[in-house]
């Protein structure tokens, strides 16, 4: 299988190359791209004998990526680019009928409907690489979608599970970065602490599986062993489980519909002892509700939500605002967002507007 | 869909008719049979306008059942007969290409290999109705069997979970019949207390799914919410869950590959709070190991195991022996069992021999 990895020097990119290393030649790296980390990209290109290696920092980077992913010899494109830059290459790959293993959040959150339309028309296939959506994708295999009542996304609850608003008012950046289960970059770790990660996943699930909001649920599961649960109309459920390791989802996406031996270590349920569940405390963690509101508002609202969140989280990481300011700032920017129907060309402009607006609101705090 | 229910007056039969009642005419009862409960059978026949109603107590009962299940208008046969009487009708239905929803244990335990051969050759299909096997059957849908590493059968552990052998030496019939999770008949409730039910299910799983012994595992899960788990080669698992209600499995077997709305009430994981796991205490509960031994020995050993268990459990229920005598007696009868390869015609004879032998051993206690 010929693979292209967009964003190969990041955390997902490196895990993907680890999966390729263990593939015993079954997966061939045809192309690699990175935004700016030239040295690491060169090392990867050398190790995997990548035919095409693109540093996308140049002004014609996007065109090069689109050219790469649409080459006839490409089978699968793993999109691990962070941010909007993933959108056009992902759309181009789908249009060309490729399998797109999608690890980028922004594309689905802001343009999920568009991506799914492109999948339908272009003949390509999106396989989600996020562990929750990958879990749901696995559990849905072989079952008629009309027999499914609900999709359940699980979340560990993050480092502040059980905290009161009063306690949250004082939390430090260091505490927010201390995730109990997953090792991830700082931005997404803060998203796990605010539960905005569940909000973004909620929006993604709505588009990936074409499910209505009322049929998607979020549940806290502190052990992070069950990643997603499909609830059927007859009252049965299928829960997908694995150790919390991104390689599980990446490997499944690359080997689909088959599986790779020992992609991750097997679960030992006897050692794990128990799997617990509790409701989301939506009053203390309002980011999930904000995301659901953005989905309901439609248009550019998810784009604004995403941009405002990024800026607010950045300000928190730079110790410019407090933890509880994050949802406040997102809400404030969303209130003044333009109410228009979505056009792809406008996405970048609205995104920039929301970032600027949120920064202004931060300055006036 | 035209359904025949063999053994309609028992607990599984009645639950099946409950599923039919809720089917809004989608399932039509074509035939019903019972062994001896004439009054109840007549009431059922009247309510469901059954075209064929057979009291199988007569000496030509078996022939009538075989004639019924092979009729061209029959789609599905639910086999809820207890004991060996299920064997020939089940084989005949498979030979005639019918779907067989199999709730009988004895047929699979003693002649599992034969039944699976008949399924292959006859074009019929077995769908297991036992909740553990039905769960595994559900979780396997849509996945390549070569990607599966292990099948996990769960058990509640029964009323004596955590007991020592010393404590078990003194348990009463009343205590053994007090199952924490499932409402079942007395024989199978005692099997749950000795863990012989997991032993019999282990043997059944070996044949239903054509899996080697080393790839089947049993795990204690006190909440009885997860009924079966498929472990894949990549380290992922799919767990099937539902409230502990036989209607879940019966409904799935009858609607397969689709599902019935509200067959059982949905799970509320937040109310359930936690799912726990622990290893089987094989030293204190040796019946599982005895069943694994019988499977290893092959031939008539599972038949002898099953017969000796039935007689021993009967003697325990009649207060003739103590709880810990049950595995001792089974082991003793198995030691002197004939070592021959299995022939269908001999099953009844060996079964009778094992029952007689176990009774003799009980008398000489």
């Amino acid at each position: 299988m010929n693979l292209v990895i967009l964003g190969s020097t990041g955390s997902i990119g490196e895990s993907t190359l680890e999966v390729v290393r263990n593939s015993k030649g079954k997966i061939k790296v045809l192309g690699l791209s990175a935004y700016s980390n030239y040295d690491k990209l060169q090392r990867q290109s050398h190790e995997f004998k990548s035919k095409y290696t693109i540093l996308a920092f140049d002004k014609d980077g996007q065109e090069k990526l689109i050219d790469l992913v649409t080459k006839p010899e490409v089978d699968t494109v793993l999109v691990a680019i962070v941010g909007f830059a993933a959108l056009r290459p992902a759309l181009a790959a789908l249009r060309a009928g490729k399998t797109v293993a999608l690890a980028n959040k922004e594309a689905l959150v802001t343009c999920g409907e568009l991506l799914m339309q492109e999948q339908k028309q272009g003949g390509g296939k999106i396989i989600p690489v996020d562990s929750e959506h990958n879990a749901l994708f696995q559990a849905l295999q072989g079952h008629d979608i009309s027999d499914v009542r609900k999709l359940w996304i699980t979340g560990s609850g993050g480092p502040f599970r059980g905290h009161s608003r009063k306690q949250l008012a004082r939390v430090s950046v260091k505490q927010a970065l201390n995730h109990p289960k997953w090792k991830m970059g700082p931005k997404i770790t803060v998203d796990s602490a605010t539960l905005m990660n569940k909000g973004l996943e909620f929006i993604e699930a709505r588009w990936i599986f074409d499910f209505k909001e009322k049929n998607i649920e979020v549940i806290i599961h502190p052990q992070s062993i069950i990643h997603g649960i499909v609830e059927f109309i007859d009252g049965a459920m299928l829960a997908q489980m694995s150790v919390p390791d991104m390689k599980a989802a990446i490997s499944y996406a690359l080997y689909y519909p088959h599986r790779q031996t020992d992609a991750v270590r097997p679960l030992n349920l006897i050692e794990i002892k128990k799997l617990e569940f509790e409701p989301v405390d939506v009053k203390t963690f309002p980011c999930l509700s904000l995301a659901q509101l953005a989905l309901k508002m439609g248009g550019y609202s998810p784009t604004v939500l995403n941009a405002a969140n990024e800026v607010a989280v950045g300000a928190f990481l730079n110790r410019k605002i407090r933890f509880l300011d994050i949802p406040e700032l997102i809400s404030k920017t969303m209130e003044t967002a333009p109410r228009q129907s979505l056009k792809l060309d406008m996405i970048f402009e609205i995104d920039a507007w929301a970032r600027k607006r949120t920064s202004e609101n931060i300055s006036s705090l």
Side-chain angles (χ1 to χ4, degrees), chain A:
Chain A
M1 187 266 275
N2 288 329
L3 176 68
V4 166
I5 306 172
L6 304 187
S8 63
T9 58
S11 148
I12 302 279
E14 291 203 285
S15 292
T16 305
L17 288 172
E18 189 62 30
V19 171
V20 174
R21 254 182 222 111
N22 296 330
S23 78
K24 295 169 186 162
K26 279 184 193 159
I27 302 174
K28 204 188 138 21
V29 174
L30 197 81
L32 293 171
S33 89
Y35 182 65
S36 59
N37 195 337
Y38 179 79
D39 290 347
K40 198 191 254 186
L41 185 64
Q42 283 306 316
R43 278 200 304 278
Q44 291 177 341
S45 174
H46 184 76
E47 179 187 347
F48 292 93
K49 300 181 175 61
S50 165
K51 195 169 166 187
Y52 307 100
T53 302
I54 295 169
L55 199 69
F57 185 69
D58 336 2
K59 72 173 180 356
D60 58 349
Q62 283 265 318
E63 293 313 311
K64 283 185 189 165
L65 294 184
I66 290 169
D67 183 57
L68 171 59
V69 301
T70 53
K71 284 188 191 297
E73 65 262 51
V74 174
D75 300 306
T76 298
V77 181
L78 189 126
V79 181
I81 296 175
V82 176
F84 286 110
L87 191 58
R88 286 184 199 274
L91 284 168
L94 286 172
R95 204 168 294 144
K98 311 296 184 189
T99 296
V100 175
L102 193 57
N104 169 283
K105 278 181 186 275
E106 289 80 1
L108 273 166
V109 168
T110 63
C111 299
E113 197 167 10
L114 207 71
L115 275 161
M116 298 323 282
Q117 274 171 10
E118 200 58 67
Q119 174 179 241
K120 233 183 214 166
Q121 289 160 9
K125 185 164 182 67
I126 294 177
I127 303 180
V129 171
D130 215 2
S131 63
E132 291 77 7
H133 304 94
N134 192 269
L136 292 170
F137 188 86
Q138 289 189 33
L140 285 167
Q141 294 303 310
H143 301 279
D144 200 310
I145 202 81
S146 67
D147 287 331
V148 177
R149 182 187 282 150
K150 280 184 179 178
L151 300 177
W152 292 76
I153 295 167
T154 63
S156 69
F160 303 138
R161 181 174 64 90
H163 277 44
S164 65
R165 278 191 74 82
K166 207 174 157 188
Q167 288 173 296
L168 284 187
R170 295 173 212 168
V171 296
S172 69
V173 170
K174 201 180 156 193
Q175 288 172 305
L177 290 179
N178 186 25
H179 195 277
K181 293 288 168 188
W182 291 93
K183 283 179 195 171
M184 303 171 293
K187 190 267 179 182
I188 195 166
T189 304
V190 175
D191 283 349
S192 297
T194 62
L195 296 200
M196 181 55 95
N197 67 331
K198 296 301 135 189
L200 298 176
E201 288 164 13
F202 189 97
I203 298 175
E204 291 174 83
R206 192 260 170 270
W207 300 120
I208 295 174
F209 303 108
D210 192 16
F211 260 64
K212 293 200 181 92
E213 285 96 313
K214 69 179 170 71
N215 296 325
I216 304 171
E217 303 272 356
V218 179
I219 189 168
I220 300 300
H221 163 50
Q223 288 80 17
S224 289
I225 297 298
I226 295 179
H227 307 298
I229 305 172
V230 172
E231 177 182 339
F232 295 95
I233 55 168
D234 62 355
M237 284 181 162
L238 275 183
Q240 194 273 357
M241 312 194 272
S242 77
V243 292
D245 181 333
M246 278 310 298
K247 288 203 294 292
I250 293 168
S251 162
Y252 186 79
L254 298 186
Y255 280 78
Y256 173 82
H258 294 289
R259 289 173 188 268
Q260 178 185 31
T261 306
D262 298 321
V264 295
R265 69 184 157 80
L267 278 175
N268 186 332
L269 290 174
I270 284 163
E271 266 177 23
I272 291 163
K273 279 196 177 76
K274 60 180 177 179
L275 305 173
E276 293 171 299
F277 306 95
E278 55 186 60
V280 178
D281 180 354
V282 285
K283 280 194 181 158
T284 309
F285 298 92
C287 282
L288 173 58
S289 306
L290 285 174
Q292 288 167 328
L293 177 67
L295 196 50
K296 207 171 193 172
M297 289 167 72
Y300 293 103
S301 294
T303 308
V304 171
L305 172 96
N306 175 69
N309 179 57
E310 263 191 52
V311 173
V313 170
F316 172 70
L317 285 170
N318 289 324
R319 289 152 176 93
K320 285 186 184 155
I321 63 169
R322 291 161 307 167
F323 189 77
L324 285 179
D325 292 330
I326 299 172
E328 290 296 324
L329 284 161
I330 298 167
S331 177
K332 211 167 173 182
T333 307
M334 279 175 69
E335 274 167 24
T336 53
R339 301 276 202 131
Q340 296 161 349
S341 61
L342 191 80
K343 278 176 202 153
L344 188 54
D345 297 333
M346 286 287 288
I347 286 272
F348 297 86
E349 205 169 308
I350 300 287
D351 174 69
W353 170 86
R355 284 169 198 273
K356 186 161 169 279
R357 184 76 209 218
T358 310
S359 295
E360 288 164 8
N361 289 338
I362 289 170
S363 305
S364 66
L365 264 182

